[in-house]
């Protein structure tokens, strides 16, 4: 499975789980997020990748962090944590974490 498809599929699973935990229909979530119910269905099936503004709308509608909708571990098929490690200042500059010792 391509990386884009895997991301879309996992996002869809997370969105469906979050919606069901709130006991919302696709139509109710769509209404809260100003999206059509068919858009919710496409996202949940992994047929569409959300834009960043859509991600924020959905998270706000569910009153959760956007991170909860993108939580996953690449290469797995189960829910997990999307490991986004904050970059250190040295990494941002393109330098190794540990200075080389001579």
């Amino acid at each position: 499975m391509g990386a884009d498809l895997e991301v879309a599929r996992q996002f869809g699973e997370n969105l469906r789980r979050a919606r069901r935990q709130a006991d919302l229909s696709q139509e109710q979530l769509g209404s809260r997020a100003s999206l059509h119910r068919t858009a919710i269905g496409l996202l949940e099936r992994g047929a569409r990748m959300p834009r960043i503004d859509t991600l924020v709308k959905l998270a706000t509608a569910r009153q959760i962090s956007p991170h909860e909708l993108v939580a996953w571990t690449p290469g797995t098929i189960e829910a997990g944590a999307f490991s986004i490690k904050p970059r250190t200042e040295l990494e941002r500059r393109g330098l190794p974490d540990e200075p080389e010792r001579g």
Side-chain angles (χ1 to χ4, degrees):
M1 178 181 298
D4 287 350
L5 292 176
E6 185 179 355
V7 170
R9 182 194 53 75
Q10 188 62 57
F11 176 85
E13 288 180 15
N14 292 346
L15 178 60
R16 179 176 288 123
R17 184 180 320 101
R19 178 180 59 78
R20 287 180 175 171
Q21 285 174 346
D23 198 30
L24 295 172
S25 67
Q26 288 180 343
E27 189 166 359
Q28 289 169 319
L29 179 59
S31 176
R32 290 181 184 193
S34 299
L35 299 168
H36 195 274
R37 68 173 173 74
T38 57
I40 303 297
L42 288 168
L43 290 166
E44 286 186 355
R45 288 192 307 277
R48 181 178 289 173
M49 287 277 265
R51 296 183 330 209
I52 193 71
D53 62 319
T54 301
L55 171 63
V56 171
K57 285 180 183 181
L58 290 166
T60 301
R62 253 302 273 117
Q63 298 180 331
I64 59 176
S65 164
H67 177 266
E68 292 185 47
L69 296 175
V70 294
W72 69 294
T73 301
T76 65
I77 57 171
E78 64 221 31
F82 187 43
S83 301
I84 301 177
K85 181 183 112 191
R87 291 177 19 175
T88 66
E89 184 60 32
L90 291 174
E91 288 173 325
R92 280 192 280 281
R93 294 181 189 172
L95 302 171
D97 279 335
E98 291 291 321
E100 290 184 27
R101 297 178 190 188

